[in-house]
Amino acid sequence: MEKLLEAVQIETGKNPAASVIWMHGLGADGNDFVPIVSELGLDGAPATRFLFPHAPMRPVTINNGTVMRAWYDVSFGDLEGNSRRADERGVRESQERIRALVEREEKRGVAPECIVLAGFSQGGAIALQTGLRYPRRLAGVMALSAYLPLAESLPGEASTANRKTPIFMSHGIYDPVIPIVMGAGSMTFLTGLGYAVEWHQYPMPHSVCPEEIRDIGAWLRKILTA
């Protein structure tokens, strides 16, 4: 068993009853989304432990083989329109690393139905990959400026426990990195399988915006107090 991923940890109160495991995008690290916690307006929600894991270091083809933090490799053509190509080995390795973090939260006393998997870009792809296959019911899955990897394998691998789990997906209309057609296409695919997807789009590039942060906070309050 590989060592658990290192992560930045923030708790909004004593004895957290909920956990949010939030994955960063390509080339960033776990510190990337730490400042957002204080902007989510989670007053009234249970004390929550936020974990922001650091992805492993690996060469990334689309960046000329440069070694950086990445949840999986990205090759030329992987992010073009409706393309569903992905580095399957890397995606599945990261799925197992995040699954181990979820299991660790369970051992720390947080019920699985109080655990959220979240992520931006590559991190959002891994949140979807892991959350929809996790064997026990989770509180929710959030994918920001992301898409569903390995979509063709999901129908056969999906966990029945998470068929009704709330999914939050959002995307920038002007995203030049992951075209909105990829995010919207994934949303349509998931909806067609019967998943409950809450979809948002914003006039922004490959980033986050204040309105999106407000919507994320509202969604988290809703699912963590349900």
Side-chain angles (χ1 to χ4, degrees):
M1 177 67 183
E2 288 187 272
K3 183 168 92 168
L4 280 175
L5 292 171
E6 293 184 2
V8 179
Q9 177 175 300
I10 294 176
E11 296 180 356
T12 64
K14 294 181 179 179
N15 303 316
S19 297
V20 178
I21 302 173
W22 193 319
M23 283 78 79
H24 61 78
L26 177 65
D29 65 21
N31 294 290
D32 202 31
F33 281 89
V34 168
I36 280 182
V37 175
S38 62
E39 301 176 27
L40 292 173
L42 296 181
D43 295 342
T48 302
R49 177 183 297 119
F50 282 83
L51 290 176
F52 298 96
H54 305 299
M57 300 291 287
R58 70 177 80 230
V60 176
T61 301
I62 203 170
N63 288 337
N64 298 314
T66 302
V67 175
M68 60 183 64
R69 293 200 181 278
W71 298 107
Y72 52 90
D73 189 22
V74 181
S75 297
F76 297 97
D78 287 3
L79 303 177
E80 293 180 0
N82 289 311
S83 170
R84 288 181 179 167
R85 294 171 53 192
D87 165 23
E88 181 171 356
R89 179 177 177 180
V91 167
R92 293 192 184 278
E93 285 176 355
S94 287
Q95 174 189 345
E96 289 307 306
R97 303 292 292 271
I98 297 304
R99 175 176 171 144
L101 287 180
V102 176
E103 292 173 345
R104 196 268 299 269
E105 288 307 290
E106 291 189 51
K107 291 176 182 175
R108 294 168 95 180
V110 179
E113 62 268 22
C114 296
I115 298 174
V116 177
L117 288 184
F120 174 79
S121 195
Q122 269 202 342
I126 295 301
L128 290 168
Q129 171 75 18
T130 308
L132 301 183
R133 291 167 172 81
Y134 196 71
R136 291 176 289 285
R137 170 68 186 256
L138 299 173
V141 178
M142 181 172 71
L144 313 176
S145 302
Y147 59 96
L148 178 70
L150 311 186
E152 66 286 346
S153 69
L154 180 61
E157 297 175 358
S159 161
T160 55
N162 283 298
R163 283 288 188 180
K164 302 298 182 183
T165 296
I167 300 172
F168 181 102
M169 293 186 71
S170 60
H171 221 103
I173 296 171
Y174 309 116
D175 193 330
V177 178
I178 298 177
I180 190 172
V181 67
M182 291 187 71
S186 293
M187 177 270 291
T188 300
F189 180 80
L190 289 169
T191 301
L193 292 178
Y195 289 97
V197 181
E198 181 176 323
W199 172 260
H200 298 263
Q201 57 190 47
Y202 308 94
M204 64 179 185
H206 195 62
S207 61
V208 294
C209 65
E211 182 184 357
E212 181 181 24
I213 294 171
R214 288 194 297 271
D215 290 339
I216 292 168
W219 181 76
L220 285 173
R221 287 193 301 274
K222 179 173 67 176
I223 66 170
L224 293 179
T225 56

